[in-house]
Amino acid sequence: MSHQTVLVLDFGSQFTQLIARRLRELSVYCEILPFNTPIAAIKAKHPIGIILSGGPSSVDEEGAPHIDRAVLDLGVPTLGVCYGMQLMTHMLGGTLARSGHREFGHALVRRDPSIASRMWKGMPDQLKVWASHGDFVAAAPPGFAVAASSDNAPVAVMEAPERGYYALLFHPEVAHTDRGKELLRNFAFDVCGCTGDWTIASFIDEATSRIKAQVGNGRVVCGLSGGVDSTVAASIIHRAIGDRLQCIFVDNGLLRLNEAQQVVERYKKLKLPVHHVDASATFLDRLAGVTDPEKKRKIIGKTFIDVFNDKAKELGDFDFLAQGTLYPDVIESVSVRGPSATIKSHHNVGGLPEGMKFKLVEPLRELFKDEVRAVGRDLGIDKEFLVRQPFPGPGLAVRMLGDITRDKIALLQKADAIVADEVRKAGWYERIWQSFAVLLPVQSVGVMGDARTYEFTVAVRAVESLDGMTADWARLPHDLLASISSRIVNEVRGINRVVYDISSKPPSTIEWE
């Protein structure tokens, strides 16, 4: 079964992914393609609608991204958003002008009650929206009706229904726009005729069939990290081909407290064919004395590939390598914002090892993170697996500044376990993106009982984020921070001071290394 598809042509807006997410939430299948995708490739997708995204450029500046005019002549309903509206205006004979008052942030858009707008169907007379533009439409192209305006934009919504053209000079996809999802619903359902046939159940069935067809009688090897992406990917592949999938879980000695045992037990429950390799001694030997963060990452990545490669060879010949690549990674690799490697170096499978001529199986490459969790729920995977906070591929190595020793790992594991336990007990674990402890190469004087101590400092980090791209430090209650600090200092011998990190990303990163 093929889904009705809405295509988003990306002009570089930071919000482009949100358009796809909002449509997926409406059960409408949506793909993002670069603005310069050849017309033949667009036609091959048989889109039921096309959305031209926002972007940072001005339409008339040198090097600004433009589409092939043939896109507008496809006879497919087309919605321009912000830059997409300006480009549509430019290409269809309207007039653009620089705004004396750049509209950035909240704006109030008022409808023209004399226009029977299809985009504005069911909306109030005015909406608070999120705008981000320095240019405005001075005159709509011939044949367009102006359905709404704002104080700084005489043409905020325009449409030419008989030609299938619609445009908004604001972002309906962001949470700051009131009823923005309803505007997208109007375009998808009322204008394009979508029926909402994109569901998680249909995805699982189709992904299973696709894997069967792709793999045939071949064998697949998969590196499992214990995280949600690799676990869900392996579960779908196992559903498709059974034990012709073999999974390798590498314990690098840098996991959370008791995590290796817990993960292996959970995989047994899922009946996945998993080979547990305890390579902690190898990793720690190679990391001995290394303090530079980038060197740590490279050593861990290369060691993982060496261990994975050796175990895969021991298990026989494989034709395919499974990866938990998600849709944001795919978008990033073809985006107008610049190419990047599709295979993510920060994942435990840090790329295709040299000499391993595998083809890739990536069952989740169409999905966003929240959709992966929904697939996991439908597959019966434990909630504990699905709600786990993200954990970096190099593990605790990037949360331990300075050299790495077994003693320091033990200290950090205990402190980190206390953070997780207290955050869970307080009901914050699923409300925030990540929460963890960082061991600092700083010792300070303390007093315990009547004795003087000179011990390590731990920083507690907790952030709120939607996707990890940006993050704000979490305003955890003081009582919760007090409990965390008290328990760490009292229960972890070797740590006598706890501090809280109140840095946001940017300018800081979430991890410390």
Side-chain angles (χ1 to χ4, degrees):
M1 172 189 167
S2 61
H3 293 288
Q4 296 171 325
T5 299
V6 173
L7 295 181
V8 178
L9 299 187
D10 180 19
F11 293 92
S13 167
Q14 61 181 316
F15 304 130
T16 299
Q17 283 192 32
L18 283 179
I19 300 175
R21 290 178 73 95
R22 296 293 169 261
L23 288 168
R24 298 275 189 95
E25 287 164 11
L26 294 167
S27 298
V28 173
Y29 183 65
C30 181
E31 283 188 33
I32 297 172
L33 298 176
F35 71 93
N36 55 0
T37 300
I39 190 67
I42 291 172
K43 283 181 178 176
K45 298 278 187 184
H46 303 292
I48 196 170
I50 292 173
I51 298 177
L52 310 179
S53 85
S57 306
S58 284
V59 168
D60 56 0
E61 69 186 26
E62 190 177 346
H66 283 212
I67 51 170
D68 187 330
R69 169 63 200 239
V71 172
L72 295 179
D73 295 334
L74 278 174
V76 172
T78 302
L79 172 64
V81 173
C82 251
Y83 180 86
M85 176 178 183
Q86 295 162 28
L87 182 61
M88 191 181 275
T89 301
H90 173 77
M91 295 180 73
L92 295 174
T95 307
L96 294 172
R98 291 275 191 275
S99 176
H101 301 279
R102 175 176 166 78
E103 219 168 33
F104 182 82
H106 283 298
L108 199 62
V109 170
R110 301 172 192 86
R111 64 167 294 204
D112 179 342
S114 69
I115 304 295
S117 166
R118 295 183 73 180
M119 285 299 299
W120 210 263
K121 181 182 170 187
M123 295 289 157
D125 287 342
Q126 57 183 36
L127 275 185
K128 191 166 70 171
V129 304
W130 183 262
S132 175
H133 57 88
D135 300 341
F136 69 94
V137 177
F144 276 76
V146 179
S149 58
S150 71
D151 288 343
N152 295 316
V155 185
V157 179
M158 66 181 193
E159 49 193 71
E162 67 287 346
R163 298 167 69 190
Y165 297 143
Y166 300 82
L168 308 170
L169 199 62
F170 55 86
H171 290 277
E173 67 275 21
V174 301
H176 307 306
T177 292
D178 290 346
R179 302 177 71 167
K181 197 197 281 191
E182 290 176 54
L183 287 167
L184 290 172
R185 180 195 294 275
N186 284 346
F187 177 71
F189 286 79
D190 294 343
V191 173
C192 300
C194 292
T195 56
D197 63 352
W198 164 252
T199 65
I200 293 303
S202 68
F203 168 81
I204 293 171
D205 289 342
E206 285 174 36
T208 304
S209 300
R210 269 202 309 273
I211 292 162
K212 283 178 179 173
Q214 181 189 1
V215 172
N217 294 318
R219 297 180 77 222
V220 180
V221 64
C222 177
L224 289 176
S225 65
V228 62
D229 301 342
S230 62
T231 301
V232 172
S235 298
I236 291 178
I237 296 168
H238 189 242
R239 187 177 188 261
I241 64 169
D243 288 354
R244 283 185 291 119
L245 166 73
Q246 293 293 306
C247 303
I248 299 171
F249 170 59
V250 176
D251 178 1
N252 58 15
L254 298 160
L255 302 174
R256 290 168 280 206
L257 187 67
N258 301 323
E259 186 168 25
Q261 303 93 297
Q262 290 165 2
V263 165
V264 170
E265 284 305 310
R266 286 197 197 114
Y267 283 141
K268 276 183 189 166
K269 271 200 229 168
L270 289 172
K271 298 188 166 49
L272 286 175
V274 178
H275 303 270
H276 176 204
V277 183
D278 182 355
S280 51
T282 305
F283 278 88
L284 297 185
D285 285 349
R286 292 189 185 182
L287 286 165
V290 177
T291 58
D292 179 77
E294 198 51 34
K295 281 186 182 166
K296 286 181 189 175
R297 285 178 176 273
K298 284 180 176 167
I299 289 167
I300 291 165
K302 183 177 186 312
T303 305
F304 175 85
I305 287 172
D306 291 345
V307 172
F308 183 86
N309 203 355
D310 289 346
K311 188 64 182 178
K313 281 180 182 168
E314 185 188 309
L315 294 172
D317 294 329
F318 291 94
D319 311 284
F320 297 88
L321 173 68
Q323 289 203 149
T325 309
L326 303 191
Y327 196 41
D329 312 313
V330 176
I331 296 167
E332 194 177 298
S333 71
V334 295
S335 163
V336 296
R337 292 178 289 281
S340 61
T342 304
I343 298 165
K344 297 163 25 173
S345 62
H346 60 275
H347 265 207
N348 277 358
V349 178
L352 289 172
E354 283 181 33
M356 295 177 80
K357 307 296 183 194
F358 291 139
K359 295 172 218 149
L360 288 177
V361 179
E362 298 172 305
L364 309 180
R365 61 181 284 115
E366 296 173 352
L367 301 186
F368 291 101
K369 189 81 169 186
D370 53 336
E371 294 171 328
V372 173
R373 290 193 168 107
V375 169
R377 280 195 298 273
D378 272 28
L379 289 171
I381 294 172
D382 284 356
K383 185 184 177 189
E384 175 66 26
F385 250 137
L386 301 179
V387 302
R388 281 185 66 196
Q389 293 177 354
F391 189 63
L396 297 180
V398 293
R399 296 177 179 175
M400 183 182 307
L401 280 60
D403 65 330
I404 295 170
T405 67
R406 286 185 184 278
D407 287 345
K408 286 185 184 174
I409 291 170
L411 282 182
L412 182 52
Q413 283 177 329
K414 288 173 190 167
D416 187 70
I418 289 169
V419 173
D421 186 45
E422 290 297 320
V423 167
R424 272 197 178 92
K425 281 197 299 197
W428 276 80
Y429 188 82
E430 292 179 44
R431 290 172 60 183
I432 54 181
W433 179 257
Q434 270 173 297
S435 52
F436 53 88
V438 180
L439 187 67
L440 306 184
V442 173
Q443 289 175 283
S444 64
V445 174
V447 177
M448 296 186 105
D450 294 324
R452 175 184 179 277
T453 61
Y454 191 63
E455 295 177 337
F456 284 105
T457 300
V458 152
V460 173
R461 180 81 159 133
V463 297
E464 296 177 320
S465 176
L466 289 174
D467 52 16
M469 301 300 290
T470 60
D472 192 16
W473 62 278
R475 274 63 169 175
L476 297 183
H478 290 179
D479 287 351
L480 171 54
L481 293 173
S483 299
I484 290 170
S485 176
S486 174
R487 280 193 61 193
I488 288 175
V489 170
N490 280 290
E491 296 175 29
V492 187
R493 182 162 293 183
I495 296 171
N496 69 354
R497 191 174 297 271
V498 177
V499 298
Y500 189 52
D501 180 350
I502 57 168
S503 314
S504 296
K505 175 187 179 180
S508 301
T509 53
I510 294 176
E511 300 294 344
W512 276 48
E513 287 193 340

